[in-house]
Amino acid sequence: MEPLPDPQTPADRALHAIEATIGVILGRSIGPDENFFEAGLSSLDLVRLHEVGARQLTVEPPVTVMFAYPNLRALRRHLAGEGTVADVGGRTATASQVRRVGTARRELRKRNRSESEPQ
């Protein structure tokens, strides 16, 4: 993906900073659909990229965003508010669907803990 000449929105500025940092880390730019890990970035690199991008945003997203959206195109869509997450297991989910699954998992864990406690 070509670098943004003059980023206007916080999301554009975050993506511009992330792309520039990837170039510094890898010594090259990466394609819009190139997976961060397959390009040579490590988990620590993704945490660093999150920090770089978060400085440009008004609301800091969780660091897991960098793992859930594994390439520049997916990350750009997410930050632009299109709300799709990475293709996981051949399926694409919206951000609200992912939140519902997370809520359901937490509720299930809570119920399992309360049922396993001695009475």
Side-chain angles (χ1 to χ4, degrees):
M1 217 163 247
E2 294 180 21
L4 301 166
D6 185 20
Q8 299 297 315
T9 67
D12 288 343
R13 287 190 293 277
L15 286 164
H16 184 59
I18 287 169
E19 289 180 66
T21 305
I22 287 171
V24 170
I25 293 170
L26 296 177
R28 66 176 180 88
S29 60
I30 65 172
D33 297 310
E34 193 171 355
N35 181 285
F36 293 138
F37 289 112
E38 291 172 6
L41 296 169
S42 68
S43 295
L44 181 57
D45 293 330
L46 292 187
V47 172
R48 289 179 182 147
L49 290 172
H50 170 266
E51 291 172 0
V52 165
R55 284 186 218 128
Q56 305 299 321
L57 299 170
T58 54
V59 176
E60 183 175 335
V63 71
T64 54
V65 163
M66 297 301 298
F67 296 88
Y69 304 91
N71 61 53
L72 291 171
R73 186 180 313 277
L75 186 59
R76 179 164 298 193
R77 285 183 183 145
H78 172 71
L79 292 177
E82 294 178 24
T84 58
V85 295
D87 190 4
V88 179
R91 297 183 180 183
T92 302
T94 64
S96 65
Q97 289 170 323
V98 171
R99 282 192 299 274
R100 283 196 305 261
V101 168
T103 300
R105 285 182 177 169
R106 284 189 296 279
E107 289 174 5
L108 181 59
R109 278 190 228 118
K110 190 187 311 180
R111 186 179 327 144
N112 286 341
R113 278 193 302 267
S114 67
E115 289 174 0
S116 65
E117 292 176 357
Q119 308 238 340

